[in-house]
Amino acid sequence: WFSRLARPTRGLRLVFAGFIFLFGLFMGYQIGTNHTRDNQLAKLVQEVKSIQQSVSIAMLQEDSSFDRMQGVSLSRGVEQPGELLMQMLFARINSDPSIHVRLAAIDAVALFSEREDVQALLINSLMTQDSPLVQIAIIDQLIYMKEKKSLSALKILLEDQDTQPDVRMYLVERLGEIG
């Protein structure tokens, strides 16, 4: 009896092959379903990121400084900000009535410093600022980026007679760090 089980018959082989075939179909279906779920999850993540960017832009346009600050905070979570979001952040840096929103926007923009336009926009913002705190925050970001292109703009600010004495002293201390 045991020897008959050790040597499978043709029928037993066919049943075993059918089982393997059905198991392969089942696994193929599961893998295909997981792939579809992965695609759906990736699309959902992309939609959430798009919504986060849209909500951030909308909040940056609000009248309340608290809401604008929330918009800046939301923008920090956006991995690849679009052109409109960057424009809104720089609009907050350049003209927001709340200095806290301006400073938070500078920190948010610094997260995207690998973008080519960020340094040029920061330099433009620096030259139009009237707040010493905002000027110092922008100087810190430009020095942190260690871009030699910003050196000439910083020297112009240093030589400008309208530059606040505290900003000028701070700039003298930090200019050597660009190298």
Side-chain angles (χ1 to χ4, degrees):
W1 179 80
F2 183 72
S3 64
R4 284 181 67 199
L5 285 178
R7 284 181 274 141
T9 62
R10 184 176 180 172
L12 193 55
R13 284 186 202 149
L14 285 174
V15 168
F16 185 69
F19 175 75
I20 295 291
F21 177 74
L22 290 175
F23 181 75
L25 283 176
F26 174 76
M27 291 306 293
Y29 174 76
Q30 289 299 320
I31 290 171
T33 303
N34 286 340
H35 182 67
T36 302
R37 275 190 235 144
D38 289 345
N39 284 343
Q40 289 173 341
L41 184 60
K43 286 180 184 176
L44 183 61
V45 166
Q46 199 61 28
E47 285 179 32
V48 167
K49 288 178 181 179
S50 175
I51 290 170
Q52 182 180 14
Q53 186 163 232
S54 297
V55 169
S56 179
I57 289 168
M59 292 186 80
L60 285 168
Q61 297 173 0
E62 291 294 322
D63 290 334
S64 161
S65 62
F66 177 79
D67 290 340
R68 292 192 309 274
M69 189 69 97
Q70 291 290 79
V72 171
S73 287
L74 276 174
S75 72
R76 294 173 65 91
V78 176
E79 290 177 14
Q80 295 177 340
E83 213 44 53
L84 183 57
L85 179 57
M86 291 304 288
Q87 288 173 4
M88 292 301 300
L89 286 170
F90 275 101
R92 294 298 108 215
I93 292 170
N94 293 332
S95 62
D96 199 277
S98 168
I99 200 142
H100 301 291
V101 173
R102 289 165 136 189
L103 294 172
I106 291 168
D107 287 341
V109 164
L111 296 174
F112 314 120
S113 62
E114 74 281 350
R115 288 179 54 143
E116 291 180 24
D117 59 340
V118 168
Q119 182 185 5
L121 290 169
L122 277 174
I123 290 170
N124 290 340
S125 292
L126 177 63
M127 298 307 180
T128 62
Q129 292 300 320
D130 57 355
S131 165
L133 286 174
V134 175
Q135 286 178 323
I136 287 173
I138 293 173
I139 289 168
D140 281 342
Q141 292 305 328
L142 290 171
I143 289 175
Y144 178 77
M145 292 165 66
K146 294 194 183 283
E147 287 288 333
K148 294 192 180 207
K149 296 175 198 170
S150 61
L151 194 57
S152 61
L154 294 174
K155 286 182 180 178
I156 290 171
L157 184 66
L158 184 63
E159 295 167 1
D160 186 355
Q161 297 301 318
D162 293 333
T163 302
Q164 295 281 331
D166 292 336
V167 174
R168 188 176 286 123
M169 283 183 5
Y170 187 78
L171 192 50
V172 167
E173 291 174 13
R174 298 289 316 266
L175 263 178
E177 296 178 33
I178 290 183

